[in-house]
Amino acid sequence: MIVGAGFAGYRTARTLSRLTRGRAHITLLNPTDYFLYLPLLPQVAAGILEPRRVTVSLSDSLPDVRLVLGEAERIDLDDGILRYTGPEGEEGSLSYDRLVLAAGSVNKLLPIPGVAEHAHGFRGLPEALYLRDHVTRQVELAASAEDPEACAARCTFVVVGAGYTGTEVAAHGQMFTDAQVRKHPLRQGMRPRWMLLDVAPRVLPEMDEKLSATADRVLRQRGVDVRMGTSVKEATHDGVVLTDGEFVETRTLVWCVGVRPDPLVESLGLPMEKGRLLVDPHLRVPGRPELFACGDVAAVPDLENPGSYTPMTAQHAWRHGKIAAENVAASLGLGGSRKPYRHRDLGFVVDLGGAKAAANPLGVTLSGVPAGAVTRGYHLAAMPGNRVRVAADWLLDAVLPRQAVQLGLVRSWSVPLDTSSPEVARVAGGPGRRADARSGPGAALAADTDDGGGPGRAGSPDEPAKGQPGSGTTQVRPGSGAARPRSEPETAKGRPLAGPPGSGQGQLRSEWETAKGRPLAGPPGSGHGELRSEWETAKGRPLAGPPGSGHGELRSEWETAKGRPAAATATAAGTAGEPVRSRPVGEAAKNQPGGEPARNQTGGEPAKNQPGGEPAKNQPAPAPPPHPRAPTTPPPARSSEPTSRTTRTTSRKETHEHR
């Protein structure tokens, strides 16, 4: 059993599959069905690569490995059972003989006010897609803004963390926005401003000083505002407060401070080292011969530097996976002897966009075009798939302009910073999702439109998104129960509903009994509102109701019920002429197209827009239309005084008996 399909987990599954050759059952548990090549994620956010280019299908590349979609929730080490939750909330359990923990890492949070609410991380594909749409939207909104201050705020992008990821995001982001305003200049003649902040003394503090100096020079030449020794003190809706006291107005805060091991390992109760699971040089947990750990969740002793542990990098995770697979196969008697993890530093590469990069392959410091060629060559060699597609996208980007469009695939509320699964976008109503204002579709526009949210602003959590329940613009089918009117329970006077919740029957009954001038609450287009106003103010006007609903016949019967027979028997659409005798007054017939009221429809006349246009069976023959010049008798005027409930009940009973 392998938990996680990152660099360590994917390499473990692929190597173990080759070593065992079908002699072992290998199961891979992962939230997604792909392996994500993280180093190229900034190029996805900058519009250079399409999202699928940096993903490799697990099913296609690991044919002998069983893939289970889900997230590990709890591990029973004594019984050898792992319990997980599937993508649709279903729970399951898996047994194992050997367990390899390679769950990876998540965004590292710091106790800074407002960061969790206003910042977004950069650890998964949904976050990269959201950032690309968000940056494009801010530039487009800035181009149409009349206020220079609003334009400047939208064109200011703050990246916190000058490590590997943050440096590449700022470098590619500056080029991306510059290309946008080059084709569509801003009205005020402004230029997008990217800020890179870090408390460290230099860019890329964990790398060689020469690489750091090269990256710093390229960023400053490109126009990035690099501020070392500075970070965010507080994040607000309108901007960020820096540690030096300066307030920067912005609508974009990208959090690239660092990563922390997946919280799953903390629940095991085993020895830890700075949040990582302690393992021996063979990647096995001491005292647990069946348990292995590798990648970012494992504190692997660095045999080249005694007393230290290997850093949390993709290179080490990739190498961990190979050694873990070999040692698991050896423990099963399907391979050679166990091997300790040793590594040799091959250097690092940092892609700074375009032809610029910083690299030190085998200790040789490079910059400019040579570094760019080495960087892209390294990525092509390291990727387990999609090499031709990635190279094709690079070629097209070199000769064609980028397409800066908003796809709207990922909203801000679906990629919160404080999530244990940054590789999976949250879905409204999905399993284990928060129920606060920022985790539902009603707040989808909280940071995406206009001012980006806040009480009383467009797109704020207080204002439902268009097309969502409660927005006032969604068309709800009668009886669907999709949006129960809020005003009805407040004015029902404690009477029980006459029908199932959401059917509209109970609400109509309460309004009909206790109407005191309040507007009827009903689904848009249901006709309920027209029925109530007709009932209160009818002065001989025909009733407006959906075609074929029988509202016209019921109204004339309700107005003048003195034991006289109804003009016609209402027939529900699609019931083959079965008389409707128990439908509450004012209830719209189901399955009516659009709920559009029929105007001046007579009792026996077939409703318009009905299939075939034939009158319903068991209906009295319709009377011939009157001569255009023949005088018509107006319907009897109805008293404006409301009749008592007893009188109305008696009238309905007498009419029913007469029928």
Side-chain angles (χ1 to χ4, degrees), residues 301-306 308 341-344:
D302 189 349
L303 300 181
E304 303 297 327
N305 299 294
S308 62
Y341 177 73
R342 293 182 179 273
H343 73 93
R344 185 168 65 93

Side-chain angles (χ1 to χ4, degrees), residues 479-656:
S480 66
R484 185 180 180 182
R486 180 174 177 271
S487 59
E488 292 303 320
E490 297 175 354
T491 60
K493 304 299 182 184
R495 298 186 184 88
L497 294 175
S503 66
Q505 298 175 6
Q507 291 88 339
L508 285 173
R509 180 176 178 271
S510 300
E511 288 289 346
W512 180 50
E513 291 176 352
T514 62
K516 301 295 183 182
R518 294 185 297 272
L520 179 65
S526 66
H528 293 168
E530 295 86 350
L531 283 172
R532 184 184 180 280
S533 59
E534 288 284 352
W535 172 60
E536 285 187 346
T537 61
K539 302 297 182 182
R541 293 189 296 273
L543 178 68
S549 66
H551 290 168
E553 297 81 3
L554 288 171
R555 178 187 175 276
S556 59
E557 189 178 58
W558 165 65
E559 284 183 353
T560 61
K562 302 296 184 183
R564 295 190 295 274
T569 302
T571 304
T575 57
E578 181 181 354
V580 179
R581 300 191 182 278
S582 60
R583 182 185 302 150
V585 176
E587 180 181 357
K590 298 181 179 179
N591 302 325
Q592 294 299 332
E596 182 180 357
R599 304 297 181 185
N600 302 329
Q601 197 80 355
T602 57
E605 184 178 353
K608 296 181 180 180
N609 301 327
Q610 296 296 330
E614 298 179 1
K617 296 178 181 180
N618 303 326
Q619 299 288 353
H627 192 274
R629 296 185 180 181
T632 58
T633 303
R638 177 165 49 92
S639 174
S640 59
E641 298 180 359
T643 59
S644 65
R645 181 178 178 182
T646 306
T647 304
R648 290 195 300 271
T649 306
T650 305
S651 299
R652 290 201 304 271
K653 182 177 180 182
E654 291 176 348
T655 304
H656 179 73

Side-chain angles (χ1 to χ4, degrees), residues 45 118 120 126-145 150-157 173 176-177 180-181 184 186 192 194 237 251-253 403-415 438 443-453 458-459:
H118 301 286
H120 291 281
E127 295 174 320
L129 293 175
Y130 164 74
L131 182 61
R132 183 170 70 177
D133 276 3
H134 176 76
V135 170
T136 302
R137 176 167 50 253
Q138 295 307 310
V139 174
E140 292 174 348
L141 291 175
S144 61
C151 178
R154 294 193 181 280
C155 285
T156 300
F157 308 93
F176 181 49
T177 53
Q180 286 185 263
V181 300
H184 305 286
L186 302 178
W194 284 78
H237 163 71
R251 300 292 185 270
T252 308
L253 180 58
Q403 294 178 307
V405 295
Q406 301 179 52
L407 299 180
L409 300 178
V410 181
R411 292 291 190 178
S412 62
W413 58 268
S414 63
V415 284
R438 284 183 55 83
L445 306 181
D448 293 346
T449 59
D450 196 50
D451 290 335

Side-chain angles (χ1 to χ4, degrees), residues 265-286:
V265 297
E266 299 177 359
S267 63
L268 299 179
L270 298 174
M272 310 285 290
E273 174 63 29
K274 294 183 179 180
R276 295 195 285 174
L277 195 61
L278 273 174
V279 297
D280 60 21
H282 301 92
L283 307 183
R284 176 177 287 182
V285 177

